[in-house]
């Protein structure tokens, strides 16, 4: 009886570890897909769709600009940006760390942006940090900061 109980506990533990690992893999895939979608939408210049990737209380901390807090300010920031610039960026995801309903993702992006008023294309590399939050089974960006490395 004791051996049977120990086998049951061992099997249950293995099943639970497998379920947890599977959930982690699904979350990692969903988080990384969101980051890729973010850059695809940035390249498309769609402020409304880009804003939809953020939580309602998100913060966008852009280099050299005031912090945009909440959906309205973030959407306004992206509308201004797309009125003045267009992007061609490719992202490489570095580290993804998921802890419960939060995820931290580091990435780098390469490519260029075009200054519309001057019709000038500028090459630029960036590094990014995303903090994501899972809301109602959907990952969204809660905080986003980027800058250019020296």
């Amino acid at each position: 009886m004791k051996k049977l109980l120990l086998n049951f506990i061992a099997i249950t533990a293995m099943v639970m570890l497998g379920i947890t690992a599977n959930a982690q893999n699904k979350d990692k895939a969903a988080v990384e897909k969101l980051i890729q979608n973010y850059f695809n939408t940035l390249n498309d210049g769609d402020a409304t769709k880009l804003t939809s990737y953020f939580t309602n209380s998100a913060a966008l901390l852009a280099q050299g600009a005031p912090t945009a807090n909440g959906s309205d300010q973030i959407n306004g920031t992206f509308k201004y940006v797309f009125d003045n610039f267009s992007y061609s960026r490719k992202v490489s995801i570095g580290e993804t760390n998921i802890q419960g309903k939060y995820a931290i993702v580091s990435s780098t992006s390469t490519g260029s942006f075009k200054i519309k008023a001057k019709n000038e294309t500028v090459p630029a590399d960036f590094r990014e940090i995303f903090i994501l939050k899972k809301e109602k089974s959907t990952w969204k960006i809660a905080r986003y900061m980027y800058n250019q490395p020296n």
Side-chain angles (χ1 to χ4, degrees):
M1 181 68 171
K2 187 176 179 180
K3 186 175 181 179
L4 183 62
L5 180 60
L6 288 175
N7 284 340
F8 175 76
I9 291 170
I11 291 170
T12 301
M14 288 189 307
V15 168
M16 293 306 291
L17 287 173
I19 290 170
T20 301
N22 189 38
Q24 281 278 355
N25 289 339
K26 285 183 180 179
D27 280 336
K28 183 178 182 198
V31 162
E32 291 181 356
K33 182 178 179 183
L34 173 62
I35 302 304
Q36 186 62 56
N37 287 344
Y38 172 88
F39 281 93
N40 291 341
T41 304
L42 179 74
N43 291 336
D44 292 341
D46 187 336
T48 302
K49 187 172 181 181
L50 208 53
T51 302
S52 75
Y53 297 143
F54 287 80
T55 65
N56 290 334
S57 60
L60 170 62
L61 299 100
Q63 180 174 318
T67 299
N69 290 301
S71 297
D72 289 342
Q73 287 184 7
I74 290 171
N75 192 52
T77 297
F78 284 130
K79 284 182 179 179
Y80 169 82
V81 166
F82 295 141
D83 283 347
N84 293 284
F85 306 96
S86 61
Y87 291 87
S88 178
R89 318 259 340 122
K90 182 178 178 183
V91 67
S92 294
I93 295 174
E95 184 178 353
T96 301
N97 187 337
I98 299 171
Q99 296 294 321
K101 65 179 183 176
Y102 291 96
I104 300 171
V105 179
S106 63
S107 64
T108 56
S109 59
T110 59
S112 62
F113 63 92
K114 181 178 180 180
I115 303 168
K116 291 181 178 180
K118 296 179 180 181
N119 197 27
E120 178 184 348
T121 301
V122 179
D125 296 331
F126 290 90
R127 56 188 175 186
E128 303 91 14
I129 290 287
F130 293 87
I131 300 173
L132 291 85
K133 183 177 181 184
K134 194 172 193 179
E135 294 184 336
K136 298 179 183 176
S137 75
T138 301
W139 287 99
K140 298 235 177 193
I141 301 166
R143 300 288 182 271
Y144 173 45
M145 177 183 273
Y146 65 91
N147 63 23
Q148 290 183 288
N150 292 333

